[in-house]
Amino acid sequence: MDSIITFCYRYIVCCIAPVFLFGCKPKPKPVETVETVEIKGVYGNPKPLWDKGYNLNELGVNAIFVHSGSINPEMVDRAKSEGLKIYAEFATLNGKGYVEENPEAWAINEKGEKVQAATWFMGVCPTEPGFRQYRFDQLRDLLLEYDLDGVWMDYVHWHAQFEDPEPILPETCFCDHCLAEFSKNSNIEIPEGTTSEKAQWILDQHDTTWRDWRCKVIYDWTYEMKKIVKEVKPEALLGLYHCPWDDKEFDGARRRILGLDYDLLKETIDVFSPMVYHGRMERDPNWVKENILWFGDRLNIKKDEYPKVWPIVQALNGPETISAEEFETVLRGGLSGASSGVMMFTTSAVAEDASKAETMKKVYTEPMGKME
């Protein structure tokens, strides 16, 4: 009898145990969708969208990026009421309106001549002391007047124009301020001669040192701006709108001519915003994704660390019409790779085209996990 009981017990154990070990094993928890998109932004005065009856948060928008001269108390109040973050675009090295009244700040080319406007952009000498103080004072006043979540530096490069398919890339600046600063900082004595002779000597004899120094001048602007931002409003971010070219395009002109050295800038910039305007630059819409993937790898961007990347993409028609389908492609492309945010250019372009408004709403309000 005992043997029968023992047999039955062993049978039950052999048959039932696997059920407990395997059949009753808890099912794995479903992988939660991780929200990786911090910023769903619009660039431009939000009034055109508000005038159309939109509440921006209903469109999925959680941040506005607005030219500093357009910000007013009413805008700030309404934006805050809709739960939006407010970032001010700050036209840093745009000299239009300043150089005409302060010719000492006019950029000088390698021929010793005043530069002409590059398409619509008029640069400035970035080392001229009066202009530097003028801009720093403007930034401090802006931060004291409005409750901002950050400031985005724009036009942060030596005089040039990069947004066109055929960019304008002059050699600058060889004014007395720049020549004196270069000589002092690089410990290089420049021979006597005309401005054009000095410029040619520098380009022939010390080209690498000259390019490095120009990058440090631009970096110094970001350093000083960061210092002011953190002094007045410690929690505010410092962002940068910038040329999206890689290291080789146009013979390395992003660094060589514009003075943008990513390895320097990542020390001061909280958020990079590549200006991936596919239409203006006559690129395929898929180029946006390719560029952002490259950029994230180039700077080793991590979504949960600084610096971050929040590109700005094109919705505005020009030179060709940007369709709603293209707009969706570039919005999603801007959220590729290590990007943790995106914004579009401009509010007016979306307000006047219902299909683009619906496209933006679809992308901004859908559940977002890791964008591929």
Side-chain angles (χ1 to χ4, degrees):
M1 184 69 178
D2 289 341
S3 61
I4 295 174
I5 294 174
T6 301
F7 172 79
C8 292
Y9 174 77
R10 289 177 177 175
Y11 176 81
I12 292 171
V13 170
C14 292
C15 293
I16 301 302
V19 174
F20 285 101
L21 292 175
F22 302 104
C24 295
K25 184 178 180 179
K27 293 182 179 179
K29 294 181 180 180
V31 177
E32 295 181 1
T33 299
V34 179
E35 178 64 56
T36 59
V37 181
E38 296 178 53
I39 293 297
K40 304 166 189 177
V42 294
Y43 172 89
N45 192 321
K47 189 175 184 299
L49 286 166
W50 285 334
D51 287 347
K52 290 285 186 178
Y54 294 113
N55 284 330
L56 270 63
N57 52 4
E58 294 175 353
L59 291 172
V61 174
N62 65 5
I64 59 174
F65 295 76
V66 186
H67 185 278
S68 58
S70 299
I71 298 175
N72 58 59
E74 294 75 23
M75 178 192 297
V76 171
D77 289 344
R78 175 155 183 183
K80 293 293 184 182
S81 74
E82 294 185 14
L84 309 175
K85 291 185 178 295
I86 306 172
Y87 300 102
E89 179 230 0
F90 192 79
T92 309
L93 295 179
N94 188 343
K96 187 176 182 180
Y98 185 91
V99 296
E100 291 84 357
E101 297 181 5
N102 301 273
E104 68 276 9
W106 209 299
I108 304 299
N109 65 22
E110 79 280 12
K111 298 178 182 178
E113 303 168 340
K114 289 182 177 180
V115 299
Q116 300 300 309
T119 313
W120 49 267
F121 175 67
M122 185 68 218
V124 66
C125 169
T127 70
E128 202 280 309
F131 179 75
R132 286 171 61 86
Q133 192 60 52
Y134 171 72
R135 278 289 188 254
F136 295 154
D137 289 345
Q138 280 188 322
L139 175 62
R140 187 172 283 104
D141 290 345
L142 175 68
L143 290 165
L144 289 171
E145 185 171 4
Y146 297 109
D147 182 18
L148 301 175
D149 294 287
V151 173
W152 253 242
M153 300 174 70
D154 200 2
Y155 307 106
V156 185
H157 55 80
W158 295 77
H159 176 72
Q161 173 61 283
F162 66 84
E163 295 180 34
D164 298 330
E166 297 297 328
I168 299 171
L169 303 171
E171 293 282 4
T172 64
C173 170
F174 296 95
C175 72
D176 291 341
H177 306 292
C178 286
L179 293 176
E181 287 295 309
F182 171 68
S183 177
K184 175 184 174 182
N185 296 335
S186 303
N187 197 28
I188 293 174
E189 185 175 350
I190 302 173
E192 293 296 324
T194 65
T195 299
S196 61
E197 289 171 341
K198 292 177 181 179
Q200 195 58 54
W201 183 83
I202 290 171
L203 295 175
D204 288 344
Q205 302 297 322
H206 297 282
D207 186 75
T208 299
T209 307
W210 172 249
R211 307 298 173 185
D212 291 346
W213 173 77
R214 293 170 82 255
C215 289
K216 290 175 183 175
V217 169
I218 297 300
Y219 165 79
D220 182 66
W221 271 89
T222 69
Y223 177 86
E224 294 297 332
M225 298 276 278
K226 181 74 168 281
K227 188 163 65 173
I228 294 170
V229 169
K230 296 307 177 184
E231 170 193 322
V232 180
K233 192 169 178 59
E235 299 304 315
L237 298 176
L238 181 67
L240 178 70
Y241 289 120
H242 63 92
C243 174
W245 297 339
D246 65 27
D247 296 333
K248 297 180 180 180
E249 289 182 78
F250 301 100
D251 193 24
R254 191 202 72 242
R255 188 183 190 280
R256 180 175 58 86
I257 298 295
L258 301 180
L260 297 176
D261 186 322
Y262 290 149
D263 297 315
L264 288 175
L265 296 172
K266 69 181 181 181
E267 300 300 321
T268 51
I269 298 302
D270 294 316
V271 184
F272 286 90
S273 292
M275 301 168 69
V276 278
Y277 297 157
H278 74 289
R280 284 188 171 185
M281 299 181 183
E282 296 185 357
R283 311 281 184 115
D284 185 273
N286 293 307
W287 164 75
V288 172
K289 178 177 179 178
E290 296 167 2
N291 182 275
I292 300 308
L293 290 174
W294 170 83
F295 185 79
D297 288 341
R298 172 66 174 79
L299 270 71
N300 193 28
I301 300 290
K302 307 295 184 186
K303 290 193 180 190
D304 56 348
E305 299 176 5
Y306 288 101
K308 298 177 184 291
V309 54
W310 303 343
I312 180 168
V313 303
Q314 183 177 347
L316 181 71
N317 294 331
E320 303 294 334
T321 299
I322 305 298
S323 68
E325 291 73 23
E326 273 186 67
F327 181 41
E328 180 172 353
T329 297
V330 298
L331 269 180
R332 295 187 185 281
L335 288 168
S336 298
S339 169
S340 57
V342 71
M343 68 194 82
M344 61 80 202
F345 177 88
T346 63
T347 51
S348 295
V350 171
E352 66 190 21
D353 188 331
S355 64
K356 289 179 182 175
E358 284 302 310
T359 295
M360 183 176 73
K361 180 178 180 179
K362 178 175 73 170
V363 175
Y364 280 4
T365 59
E366 68 183 13
M368 292 186 181
K370 184 175 181 179
M371 301 293 293
E372 296 294 342

